[in-house]
Amino acid sequence: MSSTVLVSIISGLEGRVGSNPKIITIYPDNLDATEEFILERSLPHGALPDQFFEDKLDSRKILVYTFEIQKDGRNDLASIGLVLDKDVIIANLQPIIKRLVKRLNSENLLTLEIFQESLPKIIDGLNKESKIKIGSMIFDVKSILNEENLELKEKSRKARGMF
Amino acid sequence: MGIFHFLTRKTKNKSIFCGLDSSGKSTIISFLREGKFVEHVPTMGKDMTEMEVQGIRLNLFDMGGQSHFRQMWLGELDDTKCVVFVVDKSDPGRFAEAKAELAKLLPVISKKKIKLLIFANKHDISKDVQLSQLINEFELEKLPNFELLEISAKTGFGMTDAFIKFYSILTGQVIKKNAVASAISIYSNGGIPLITQAKNDDEFDKNILEGGFLSAITAFAEMKVNNSCIKFESKDNGTFLILKSQNFIGALLWNDKLNITMDTSEGALKELLDHLEAIGVYKQPEKVPDVVEQYVTNMM
């Protein structure tokens, strides 16, 4: 089975005074584009929390989900950008990403640092449709897909007919 | 009129809100739109809000205040009628930085005859910083035209007056402030009086509201209903509207002399209660009088 997520990017704009938008991490770091170009696509202008954006990056589709990270002062704006394989059904991936972020938030695990550390596990879990374990939280991608009756990828069409 | 008239959508009555990061631009715009305090994440680039007030459409561009985005401000000035420059009055340490950013806009503002409105925000936590200090620090006396207003998008202090000024600058139309109550009282959800404010500090209205209805308020406090309004009509004094939110009870004295519908007054009382809930002031009841006093500047 080919990967669902080819590259993932975490970006953020912190709520503190003097902050600026920045890429927090790229995994795996193999994008052939400038940092500015990647940032423009992974944290688009006008983005507000809890929004999805779709664009092209490195001639592939990128799905971006923006969310809010609770802080003592002003909250941060952050995003997860996923560069996807062409067969991915974006509409089916969206609820999984949204549920993952919501779950991390409810478990007090939604910080840029934890996201940065756990990104390989998240991508692995999405690609293998398996369990993602972050701290004491277990997010089971497969069981959510089954529960919601969703497939992340288009089924390959077999040639039919007589040759 | 050609077909392009329908295809091109021009931005009319455009205003841009500029100012350093964390000065409160987005909070001001959402307060103008919703009448209550809403906490915001930083603005990513820019965000546009459209409002229609008295049949006139207004476009408010909220410009990100981070240094990364400040170069975009000048580019938005082209078809702008009004620049609202927001200063965090509680942070004198950043006045010089704010002044330098404003200075970059001034030549274009002056050349294009754009109106300049300066909101000194966060007045609730900087009452000791005088406007004269801001005028000096920003050398505003050198500007040919500007308006400077103290506001707080957290408590609501001065927001109606600020909007009236903004609206008249942007549209050239006059908008009148209507009092929505003769007196307003706020109680805890247990019926304990926290503050009463009367229009023009009228002791008579204040006493009517404070005195006569304590037992009704106490009874209302025991009812398990939120956001439902009860009304008592008094032949001599007007109508008392009482409304409950999760943590507060609000009472308002309405009468015909206000020239405003009872529904409008009820809506305004609901907004006040929503605002008190939104800023979480129920955790510090001792702060309620100050917050109400500041918000009520918009209502009477």
Side-chain angles (χ1 to χ4, degrees), chain B residues 107-258:
Chain B
V108 185
I109 287 176
S110 160
K111 191 180 164 197
K112 293 188 179 285
K113 296 190 170 62
I114 298 168
K115 299 283 195 308
L116 174 64
L117 188 55
I118 301 170
F119 286 166
N121 191 27
K122 307 195 186 180
H123 175 69
D124 55 306
I125 50 170
S126 60
K127 287 177 192 150
D128 50 335
V129 178
Q130 304 297 315
L131 285 184
S132 55
Q133 187 185 335
L134 277 177
I135 292 171
N136 287 337
E137 298 253 11
F138 282 78
E139 297 184 286
L140 296 176
E141 72 282 356
K142 290 182 182 169
L143 302 182
N145 283 302
F146 73 93
E147 298 272 358
L148 173 63
L149 295 169
E150 278 173 325
I151 59 165
S152 167
K154 183 157 191 183
T155 61
F157 175 80
M159 290 299 286
T160 300
D161 292 332
F163 183 73
I164 289 170
K165 183 63 76 182
F166 169 70
Y167 186 83
S168 76
I169 284 176
L170 198 56
T171 66
Q173 304 290 311
V174 177
I175 193 169
K176 220 180 117 200
K177 179 171 158 182
N178 280 321
V180 295
S182 297
I184 292 170
S185 277
I186 295 295
Y187 303 79
S188 72
N189 58 359
I192 300 164
L194 298 172
I195 181 173
T196 297
Q197 288 275 290
K199 195 179 165 194
N200 307 323
D201 235 3
D202 189 321
E203 284 302 317
F204 180 69
D205 284 340
K206 221 170 170 173
N207 291 338
I208 289 169
L209 196 60
E210 270 181 344
F213 281 82
L214 204 55
S215 58
I217 295 286
T218 312
F220 190 60
E222 284 162 11
M223 291 163 68
K224 286 179 179 160
V225 284
N226 286 347
N227 294 323
S228 53
C229 187
I230 57 166
K231 293 162 188 162
F232 298 99
E233 227 172 291
S234 150
K235 215 174 183 182
D236 302 323
N237 304 314
T239 304
F240 296 88
L241 310 181
I242 307 177
L243 196 62
K244 192 178 179 186
S245 66
Q246 201 180 341
N247 296 290
F248 297 100
I249 295 170
L252 171 155
L253 179 57
W254 176 91
N255 57 44
D256 289 333
K257 287 179 212 154
L258 294 168

Side-chain angles (χ1 to χ4, degrees), chain B residues 41-57:
Chain B
V41 293
T43 304
M44 185 59 211
K46 69 176 174 185
D47 189 30
M48 205 269 274
T49 297
E50 207 172 68
M51 294 167 75
E52 196 171 311
V53 181
Q54 296 196 343
I56 300 179
R57 191 175 291 164

Side-chain angles (χ1 to χ4, degrees), chain A residues 13-21 43-49 68 73-77, chain B residues 21-24 26-27 39-47 66-69 72 91 94:
Chain A
L13 175 57
E14 291 173 81
R16 66 179 169 79
V17 168
S19 70
N20 270 311
L43 190 53
H45 273 206
L48 297 169
E68 193 169 350
R74 195 182 191 193
N75 293 346
D76 297 339
L77 176 68
Chain B
D21 45 306
S22 293
S23 56
S26 307
T27 314
E39 201 125 27
H40 287 268
V41 293
T43 304
M44 185 59 211
K46 69 176 174 185
D47 189 30
Q66 281 74 12
S67 56
H68 187 85
F69 302 126
M72 291 167 52
D91 193 358
R94 296 187 86 197

Side-chain angles (χ1 to χ4, degrees), chain A:
Chain A
M1 192 165 75
S2 62
S3 295
T4 299
V5 180
L6 307 172
V7 183
S8 56
I9 306 143
I10 302 293
S11 310
L13 175 57
E14 291 173 81
R16 66 179 169 79
V17 168
S19 70
N20 270 311
K22 62 180 178 189
I23 294 171
I24 309 295
T25 188
I26 301 178
Y27 173 81
D29 194 359
N30 58 2
L31 281 175
D32 186 20
T34 63
E35 197 173 317
E36 196 185 342
F37 188 81
I38 297 169
L39 185 61
E40 274 172 19
R41 271 138 196 89
S42 62
L43 190 53
H45 273 206
L48 297 169
D50 195 24
Q51 286 184 326
F52 282 102
F53 297 87
E54 284 174 48
D55 205 333
K56 287 249 173 178
L57 182 61
D58 225 7
S59 70
R60 285 168 297 192
K61 277 187 210 164
I62 177 170
L63 172 70
V64 172
Y65 179 61
T66 51
F67 51 93
E68 193 169 350
I69 295 180
Q70 306 289 327
K71 282 283 173 73
D72 277 346
R74 195 182 191 193
N75 293 346
D76 297 339
L77 176 68
S79 73
I80 177 165
L82 303 171
V83 179
L84 304 171
D85 183 64
K86 61 181 185 323
D87 295 335
V88 174
I89 306 167
I90 289 183
N92 292 353
L93 181 59
Q94 286 180 348
I96 305 293
I97 302 301
K98 198 167 172 167
R99 275 177 75 158
L100 173 65
V101 171
K102 203 173 167 187
R103 181 78 193 283
L104 285 167
N105 189 38
S106 67
E107 304 272 346
N108 292 322
L109 292 167
L110 193 60
T111 69
L112 285 174
E113 294 76 20
I114 291 177
F115 237 114
Q116 187 172 2
E117 279 169 26
S118 315
L119 198 55
K121 285 187 207 171
I122 293 171
I123 302 314
D124 196 48
L126 289 172
N127 284 339
K128 292 181 181 160
E129 297 183 8
S130 60
K131 289 177 181 168
I132 300 169
K133 191 172 182 301
I134 300 172
S136 57
M137 182 207 81
I138 294 172
F139 185 83
D140 190 348
V141 178
K142 189 73 196 169
S143 70
I144 292 168
L145 288 170
N146 290 340
E147 191 183 301
E148 304 275 340
N149 204 17
L150 298 173
E151 296 274 353
L152 280 186
K153 301 192 88 175
E154 302 264 12
K155 281 186 179 148
S156 56
R157 289 179 196 153
K158 283 179 186 166
R160 286 184 183 180
M162 306 273 287
F163 293 96

